[in-house]
Amino acid sequence: MTPFTTHTGIAAALPMPNLDTDVIIPKQFLKRIDREGLAEGVFFDLFKDQEFVLNRPPWDTASILICGENFGCGSSREYAVWGLMQWGIRAIIAPSFAGIFFGNCEKNGLLAVDMPADDVEELSWLAQDPATAQIGIDLHQQRIIQGGSNWQFDIPAARKALLLEGKDHIACTLEHETEIATFERHHGSDAVH
């Protein structure tokens, strides 16, 4: 996975609450057995509207989404996270996320930041103006920066470490491969006696 340390990019506002995984990537795009080609399905039905924010410059190059509460609700589609990342999204900021979607973000290296609704609303307003749509995110400092303003955010230390190092849970487990093999050898011999 690609480590996330700092990122600056165009933020697009998608303030609607309860934006579910079927809207993020409709079911007809779930037929693949690999992770390739999912970007074409991201927000497929919303893209049919020429006024949809991601159809218009500068938001057509957005890498950050500012979203409404309970983002990613619905079915537990890891495809939604994979598709968003393939489309170029590096971070999502919202007042709250559906639990499984939030976990899928962690497992795949997509920064999901939950912040107070007032802060998210302020960022959403800034994102709607092309002059202020570019924001920065500093994961080390846990802050979002736009112009002279910044907003702090909380993130659990373990999640932050995974993102900074560009690792998933499997990679972290494999760091202990020698200890695991030693345990398995000893555990196996104890079971025989």
Side-chain angles (χ1 to χ4, degrees):
M1 293 190 320
T2 304
F4 191 113
T5 53
T6 61
H7 177 76
T8 300
I10 298 296
L14 292 173
M16 64 279 282
N18 304 311
L19 206 151
D20 70 44
T21 54
D22 194 47
V23 173
I24 297 169
I25 189 155
K27 62 187 173 300
Q28 66 265 31
F29 295 95
L30 307 182
K31 298 175 184 174
R32 303 188 63 96
I33 58 170
D34 58 18
R35 297 183 189 191
E36 301 304 315
L38 297 173
E40 69 185 74
V42 171
F43 300 123
F44 184 77
D45 292 323
L46 295 177
F47 269 111
K48 293 175 184 176
D49 177 358
Q50 288 304 307
E51 293 303 307
F52 176 53
V53 65
L54 296 178
N55 275 327
R56 298 178 283 128
W59 303 283
D60 58 347
T61 61
S63 57
I64 301 165
L65 298 178
I66 312 294
C67 300
E69 63 186 47
N70 199 29
F71 185 81
C73 60
S75 65
S76 58
R77 295 181 184 172
E78 200 165 12
Y79 283 82
V81 172
W82 296 339
L84 287 167
M85 293 179 73
Q86 286 178 23
W87 199 85
I89 301 301
R90 291 288 288 140
I92 303 171
I93 301 165
S96 62
F97 293 87
I100 293 172
F101 180 85
F102 194 70
N104 286 337
C105 288
E106 176 179 322
K107 291 176 180 122
N108 290 283
L110 179 59
L111 176 62
V113 176
D114 55 340
M115 296 178 66
D118 290 345
D119 291 346
V120 174
E121 185 176 353
E122 188 175 356
L123 288 166
S124 182
W125 279 107
L126 289 167
Q128 292 176 51
D129 182 344
T132 55
Q134 183 166 293
I135 66 171
I137 302 173
D138 183 333
L139 184 54
H140 285 290
Q141 299 296 318
Q142 296 178 207
R143 58 184 185 156
I144 296 166
I145 305 141
Q146 199 297 311
S149 301
N150 67 73
W151 298 260
Q152 291 295 132
F153 62 88
D154 293 324
I155 185 169
R159 179 180 287 256
K160 181 178 177 179
L162 287 172
L163 287 161
L164 287 170
E165 296 172 23
K167 293 182 180 173
D168 62 11
H169 296 274
I170 294 169
C172 289
T173 301
L174 290 176
E175 289 178 348
H176 303 282
E177 193 171 9
T178 303
E179 295 97 326
I180 293 168
T182 301
F183 171 81
E184 287 176 339
R185 277 195 310 278
H186 288 77
H187 181 69
S189 64
D190 289 346
V192 174
H193 299 284

